[in-house]
Every structure is written in C-alpha cells, then in structure tokens.
Amino acid sequence: MVCPGSFDPVTNGHLDIISRVARLYEEVVVAVLVNQSKTGLFSIEERLEMLREVTKQYPNVRVEAFQGLLVDFCKANDIDAVIKGIRAASDFDYELQMAQMNVGLAGVETLFMATNPLYSFVSSSLIKDVAKWGGDVTQHVPELVAARLHERLAQKSA
Ligand code: PNS
C-alpha cells in the first residue's frame, strides 16, 4: 500500500491516515513527490526526515521519495494500491479523476479513507499560511514539525 503526497510538511491529518492504514496493511510506503516545478517550504530531504521521525513507531511504515508518475513508482516497488484520505466532498472530484487515470494507466487501484473529522480542515498549505503569520499550529502538526516551521519562518523573515 502506498500513501503518496507532497507532505510539505506532514500534518496530524496525514499521520492519522498513515497510522490507520498501518493497522490494516502489512506494509505501507509513504511516498513523497519530488516536484521539480514547485519548490516547497521544506526540501525533500527535510520532509523525508520529519516523516521518518514521526512514523518511527510504526515498524511497517517506510518513507521514500518518488519522481514522475505514481503508477511507475508502484510498478517498480510491486505495490498494487494507493490510499488517499478524503477530508470533505470537495476532495473527491479530483481524487476520483486521479484514481480512474491510475487504474487505466497501470491497473493500480485507489482506496479512499475518511479523514478523522478532527482534521477535516487541516492542509499543509493552510498550516504554512497560519504559521507564517504567527498563528498557533501546535494542535494540527506533530511537535517536531511545529518547531521546524517556527525555525524556518523565523529564518525567512530575518
Ligand atoms: O499532497 P498532494 O500534493 O495532494 O499529493 C498529490 C500526489 C503526489 C498524490 C499527486 O500529485 C501524484 O500522484 N503525483 C505524481 C504524478 C502523477 O502520477 N500524476 C498523475 C496522477 S493521475
């Protein structure tokens, strides 16, 4: 099972899905997209490091980077399904399109998991925006991530 995303940075919403999937499947790969056309707040190495740290209590979860098509990463790693969290109905249209494209491209299936309603409004971009303006994000991201956000945004405004 693969749990793909940008994870810039990982939030409690991501972790909720990862931990629940880790209970259901023997092996879970968290796959971080390397997107050359979009530089994030955190580098790929930083995202991988934070993800590895906050998922280290799940022995069946491993964290890797991927480039190109998700279905090619799946084929190369012998993975037959993708898991996606759905926060709200508005997530669904685009997710459905990607799921249908991926099954058509390579027979890779997508399973949807309902996000815990506690995190239904949490996204990495909203977290970055709130943190940028000094808002408190400590309820929505792991402690390590809150510290890194604080550090990074302090550097940026210096
Ligand atoms: O966290 P995000 O940015 O919502 O994750 C989106 C992601 C990485 C799952 C999606 O953009 C993706 O799968 N990208 C890889 C390129 C690809 O396979 N594109 C075709 C999708 S049908």
Side-chain angles (χ1 to χ4, degrees):
M1 178 61 67
V2 65
C3 184
S6 305
F7 301 101
D8 184 37
V10 59
T11 68
N12 287 344
H14 293 128
L15 265 185
D16 165 60
I17 299 288
I18 294 167
S19 62
R20 288 161 60 205
V21 174
R23 263 186 256 127
L24 296 175
Y25 291 89
E26 261 172 44
E27 202 188 359
V28 178
V29 180
V30 177
V32 182
L33 176 68
V34 180
N35 188 345
Q36 263 125 2
S37 60
K38 218 165 100 184
T39 50
L41 180 63
F42 295 101
S43 70
I44 296 300
E45 289 67 32
E46 289 170 325
R47 295 181 214 177
L48 293 171
E49 194 228 334
M50 286 188 273
L51 271 163
R52 287 187 179 129
E53 182 60 32
V54 299
T55 59
K56 69 178 182 205
Q57 71 266 43
Y58 310 115
N60 57 333
V61 172
R62 68 171 204 276
V63 180
E64 284 178 25
F66 79 103
Q67 231 166 343
L69 288 179
L70 179 61
V71 292
D72 290 337
F73 176 81
C74 290
K75 292 283 143 195
N77 289 275
D78 213 15
I79 292 169
D80 47 25
V82 178
I83 188 95
K84 289 291 188 76
I86 298 289
R87 290 169 295 196
S90 54
D91 277 345
F92 194 66
D93 284 355
Y94 186 49
E95 290 299 342
L96 182 62
Q97 289 174 359
M98 287 197 284
Q100 290 167 330
M101 184 61 85
N102 285 338
V103 81
L105 280 172
V108 172
E109 300 289 355
T110 298
L111 307 184
F112 296 114
M113 183 178 260
T115 298
N116 182 328
L118 273 178
Y119 308 118
S120 59
F121 58 92
V122 176
S123 68
S124 298
S125 46
L126 212 54
I127 291 293
K128 284 182 282 193
D129 196 38
V130 171
K132 183 169 90 183
W133 300 106
D136 181 12
V137 295
T138 51
Q139 277 179 39
H140 311 309
V141 294
E143 234 174 84
L144 165 77
V145 174
R148 293 290 170 83
L149 274 166
H150 192 72
E151 217 174 84
R152 177 58 42 93
L153 298 165
Q155 279 169 17
K156 276 203 145 186
S157 60

